Amino acid sequence: KQFNEGEVITSKIFAEFLSQRINWLATVDPHLHRHKSLSEIYPIPTLNIPSSKGISNWIKNNITQKSLLIGPDEESRQWVSAIASATRLEFEILTKVRMGDEDVRITLPSIEKYQNLTPILIDDIISTGNTMMKAAKHLKEAKMNPAIIIGVHAIFAGNSYERITNSGAEKIITCNTITHPSNQIDLSEIIADNLIKNNLV
């Protein structure tokens, strides 16, 4: 989206540049926002590989306590709902209002009935960490158990990883789409299977 006069829509420009140099593009959970699919901006064959199967398997194999899946904002609903379906866990979506890159305000749904459960916060990208940090703090203030945070892409700008760790979260888990010490969910096999299934390799 163009917010101010003279700004470019960088997703389209980047797609044009990249498409001149590669034959196809496959990516895990692209952060599309205002585009419905990669094919809207890429003229080359594209493939969106979901991380939900890998995350669901990790939750099934590693979480023993009774839990509630939580999406930090409405954009996370697509990932959280798919994981909830696979794990048969309930889920809630928090309401987020972003005032700026460093100012995020979170509104909690009615969670009184979930206070004995462990919240599992799930999002696609953890960048500044403000959303996750504030969500974890709010859940703690609501007298829920310390949150387990799961992110697909571990960007962790600046000292955000340390800030989230200090926010009261029990642990931070990410997929291995970006190398980081928090990587515990290996998507290699899922990526390979999708590439073969779609005849890209």
Side-chain angles (χ1 to χ4, degrees):
K1 181 178 178 180
Q2 186 183 54
F3 293 96
N4 300 296
E5 185 178 354
E7 287 183 342
V8 298
I9 300 177
T10 51
S11 60
K12 294 182 178 180
I13 297 295
F14 183 79
E16 290 176 11
F17 286 155
L18 193 58
S19 297
Q20 294 172 17
R21 295 290 181 264
I22 60 177
N23 297 322
W24 52 267
L25 172 68
T27 185
V28 174
D29 290 336
H31 200 63
L32 292 171
H33 275 306
R34 296 170 179 89
H35 302 295
K36 292 181 180 179
S37 67
L38 290 168
S39 61
E40 286 187 15
I41 53 176
Y42 284 89
I44 57 175
T46 59
L47 177 63
N48 174 9
I49 302 174
S51 63
S52 56
K53 181 179 179 181
I55 294 175
S56 298
N57 288 340
W58 187 89
I59 290 173
K60 289 177 184 177
N61 295 328
N62 293 275
I63 305 299
T64 57
Q65 59 267 51
K66 293 182 179 179
S67 306
L68 171 71
L69 304 182
I70 297 179
D73 53 38
E74 193 58 37
E75 290 173 357
S76 66
R77 180 180 293 274
Q78 57 185 309
W79 295 285
V80 178
S81 60
I83 295 165
S85 177
T87 58
R88 297 184 179 180
L89 294 173
E90 291 187 71
F91 76 94
E92 290 280 358
I93 303 295
L94 305 183
T95 301
K96 179 178 75 171
V97 179
R98 184 178 290 279
M99 312 303 290
D101 287 344
E102 301 295 328
D103 186 4
V104 178
R105 297 175 189 176
I106 301 225
T107 301
L108 294 173
S110 177
I111 59 170
E112 291 79 8
K113 62 179 180 178
Y114 301 126
Q115 286 184 334
N116 292 325
L117 304 181
T118 295
I120 302 177
L121 280 162
I122 302 174
D123 207 358
D124 63 330
I125 291 177
I126 305 179
S127 182
T128 63
N130 284 329
T131 298
M132 286 299 197
M133 181 180 65
K134 292 189 177 184
K137 284 184 176 179
H138 280 303
L139 294 173
K140 186 176 180 180
E141 289 170 0
K143 298 182 180 179
M144 292 192 75
N145 296 328
I148 295 171
I149 293 176
I150 299 179
V152 179
H153 306 298
I155 294 177
F156 292 119
N159 65 343
S160 58
Y161 181 71
E162 290 75 16
R163 290 171 62 216
I164 299 172
T165 302
N166 294 331
S167 69
E170 179 181 334
K171 61 178 72 174
I172 305 171
I173 307 297
T174 60
C175 301
N176 61 340
T177 58
I178 299 174
T179 302
H180 189 269
S182 62
N183 292 165
Q184 289 193 34
I185 303 172
D186 185 5
L187 299 181
S188 303
E189 186 174 339
I190 292 172
I191 293 171
D193 287 347
N194 275 270
L195 295 178
I196 294 169
K197 180 180 178 181
N198 288 275
N199 299 314
L200 292 177
V201 292

